Amino acid sequence: MNVLIIGSGAREHALAWAAAESDRVEVVFVAPGNGGTALMGGKVRNVPLKAVAIDELLAFARDNNVDLTIIGSEQPLELGIVDLFRSAGRHVVGPTQAAARLESSKVFSKEFMQRHSIPTAGYHVFRDFHSAASCFELPETLYPQVIKASGLCAGKGVFIALDRQEALKAIRELFEDRIFGDAADEVVIEDFLQGQEASVFVLTDGTCYRLFLPAQDHKRIGNGDTGKNTGGMGAYAPAPLVTPEVLQKVEERIIRPTLKGMRDEGYPYTGFLYVGLMIDKGEPSVVEYNARLGDPETQVVLPLVKSDFIAALQASVDGTLGEVPFEMHRKSAATVVIASGGYPDHYETGREITIAEEVAEMDNCLVFHAGTSCKEGRLTTAGGRVFSVTALGENLKESIDLAYLAVKKIGFEGAYYRTDIGAKAL
Ligand code: AMP
Ligand code: GLY
């Protein structure tokens, strides 16, 4: 079969790698892909179409006998790519536009959780500056307060305000300076949750679901979880924080009610569901849903899938997910992101990259590219997050050590990475 993967990050490189591993796959197209997917060779080919060019992507799928399309990033989901492909009779992994509102509208997702008694932070919705500001005039308001643009903001639409001044600044930027445009027409203000974060991903056909190993991201730029929020600087799995008891609560109180609620309301959820959790004293609540796999968590959870991943995806599309195996390796994985100096603020691109030859020979090590470009055999940086270097080990320590061994063999001017990925789980 032929597979099409849509997106351009390290997550999509990992998806392409997993698809190429499957015996049933002949060709893996990646649109638009990156320097890493360009260099894979064999079954894998880049297609110069943007992830948001959904009509062109449909035409490409038709003209190239694509049997299964996998949506990596959120923008095409919000544009309704799954509805479009399905209406043309094509198999696609992802939620419909209506179901993807669990990610694309925080107002929808908060109201949905409230309707279905799914644990999450208490909240209010505001549609203008003055009514939002009034909530910071109350003497009983406790800080921090969490302020979120409702729409998609590439992970940047969340402010944690430590006092009234910061809160007012955030809502001014959202409502008056309109830094995120229409995505902040509605703003959610919610209580701050204490605890530790973890990510649980499921693959679902709408009714049946399968779990990946729980992972933990590292969202801040600096060691010790300091500095600005980023798209994610590293991850590991399985996360010991998500004990079997916690996972059981997550399934009972969050995953099952979410899938049932979406069915009952008339927009069954299919594809990957990302449940971002805060776990406090063993009690999980939802920080956010995403309608796709996480990045960089995918780069650790996918290499730990033992079963044929593409067979499971096909079964999720056919509604037979309950009939295929979905087993995990009994190993650990860690991934370290190498970013361009300056990220998540201003950074330069076009820097020449060198990767020591022995990296390709390293067992249990996978170098996933994110922001790279490969032209005439020359590899250069092309984004903020440049690589996600994954290693597998018998335990977490082994996987972390191996990942850093490989990271040190990859170089470009201004390269930056955190040196404490996974440390808090050791
Ligand atoms: P989100 O885009 O909703 O995942 O938020 C980005 C990050 O902000 C999360 O990963 C958390 O670190 C933090 N965050 C969001 N909501 C809350 C909350 N209610 N309490 C504490 N931290 C939060
Ligand atoms: N790792 C966070 C995300 O993918 O949204």
Side-chain angles (χ1 to χ4, degrees):
M1 66 193 281
N2 297 338
V3 171
L4 169 62
I5 293 162
I6 296 177
S8 60
R11 169 182 52 208
E12 288 74 26
H13 189 176
L15 285 164
W17 167 83
E21 291 277 295
S22 172
D23 291 335
R24 64 183 68 209
V25 173
E26 281 160 52
V27 184
V28 182
F29 297 107
V30 194
N34 58 35
T37 50
L39 285 169
M40 281 176 87
K43 299 177 180 180
V44 182
R45 292 173 211 166
N46 278 0
V47 178
L49 288 174
K50 291 209 169 105
V52 291
I54 65 176
D55 294 309
E56 287 91 334
L57 288 165
L58 176 62
F60 178 88
R62 204 165 23 211
D63 297 344
N64 292 276
N65 303 317
V66 169
D67 301 290
L68 186 68
T69 300
I70 307 166
I71 316 299
S73 55
E74 60 273 24
Q75 297 85 357
L77 296 170
E78 187 190 34
L79 293 173
I81 192 169
V82 169
D83 311 67
L84 180 72
F85 271 57
R86 280 193 194 156
S87 66
R90 305 215 75 90
H91 288 173
V92 56
V93 180
T96 59
Q97 189 175 41
R101 283 179 299 167
L102 280 183
E103 173 169 8
S104 63
S105 167
K106 294 218 190 269
V107 172
F108 173 83
S109 78
K110 294 299 284 191
E111 291 176 348
F112 173 85
M113 287 187 268
Q114 192 170 42
R115 284 197 290 282
H116 297 282
S117 306
I118 294 168
T120 189
Y123 72 99
H124 292 282
V125 177
F126 296 96
R127 295 184 174 82
D128 67 89
F129 174 80
H130 288 288
S131 27
S134 65
C135 94
F136 306 120
E137 303 305 335
L138 306 171
E140 63 267 30
T141 302
L142 296 176
Y143 292 89
Q145 284 280 309
V146 183
I147 300 162
K148 302 183 173 183
S150 180
L152 295 182
C153 303
K156 300 188 184 85
V158 176
F159 298 80
I160 314 258
L162 298 180
D163 56 33
R164 178 170 166 272
Q165 232 56 44
E166 285 187 14
L168 291 172
K169 179 167 181 277
I171 56 171
R172 195 167 292 121
E173 288 182 4
L174 293 173
F175 282 122
E176 299 194 331
D177 306 341
R178 299 188 62 76
I179 59 169
F180 295 119
D182 300 348
D185 281 348
E186 296 180 303
V187 167
V188 172
I189 300 186
E190 65 180 36
D191 299 334
F192 182 80
L193 295 168
Q194 305 286 346
Q196 279 217 63
E197 286 182 72
S199 314
V200 170
F201 304 147
V202 303
L203 170 65
T204 177
D205 59 14
T207 309
C208 179
Y209 67 90
R210 294 307 188 92
L211 290 165
F212 292 84
L213 287 170
Q216 192 169 49
D217 188 5
H218 296 61
K219 288 208 165 94
R220 305 293 198 97
I221 187 73
N223 281 349
D225 294 332
T226 54
K228 289 202 169 170
N229 255 321
T230 69
M233 294 302 295
Y236 63 90
L241 169 72
V242 185
T243 60
E245 294 73 37
V246 170
L247 192 58
Q248 194 184 344
K249 289 178 192 168
V250 172
E251 294 192 65
E252 274 168 17
R253 299 178 193 170
I254 298 170
I255 295 172
R256 284 189 212 128
T258 300
L259 299 182
K260 179 171 186 309
M262 294 298 276
R263 282 196 307 276
D264 290 351
E265 293 191 13
Y267 20 78
Y269 191 97
T270 52
F272 301 113
L273 178 66
Y274 173 131
V275 186
L277 298 166
M278 189 70 83
I279 301 164
D280 188 29
K281 302 184 189 79
E283 299 299 316
S285 46
V286 177
V287 175
E288 62 164 345
Y289 292 110
N290 289 318
R292 48 169 176 85
L293 291 172
D295 187 344
E297 296 97 317
T298 299
Q299 294 88 283
V300 289
V301 301
L302 261 195
L304 291 170
V305 176
K306 189 173 176 188
S307 306
D308 186 325
F309 181 61
I310 296 298
L313 294 189
Q314 183 63 51
S316 79
V317 168
D318 297 339
T320 56
L321 190 55
E323 295 164 26
V324 296
F326 199 61
E327 284 168 24
M328 303 294 140
H329 289 292
R330 289 179 174 278
K331 287 187 179 179
S332 291
T335 196
V336 177
V337 169
I338 312 179
S340 299
Y343 174 81
D345 296 323
H346 176 78
Y347 55 82
E348 306 283 330
T349 57
R351 300 277 190 251
E352 183 118 15
I353 299 167
T354 51
I355 306 182
E357 270 174 29
E358 65 256 37
V359 175
E361 313 295 318
M362 284 170 75
D363 284 338
N364 295 314
C365 186
L366 296 156
V367 177
F368 295 122
H369 295 222
T372 70
S373 154
C374 182
K375 292 208 178 78
E376 288 145 22
R378 194 169 155 261
L379 193 63
T380 54
T381 65
R385 291 189 292 175
V386 181
F387 289 98
S388 178
V389 180
T390 295
L392 302 186
E394 292 308 315
N395 54 49
L396 184 58
K397 170 108 184 25
E398 215 179 278
S399 63
I400 294 169
D401 290 346
L402 184 59
Y404 277 111
L405 201 66
V407 163
K408 293 192 180 109
K409 297 180 193 293
I410 298 174
F412 56 88
E413 196 188 322
Y416 168 81
Y417 54 88
R418 275 180 65 163
T419 56
D420 65 345
I421 299 304
K424 63 186 155 195
L426 291 179

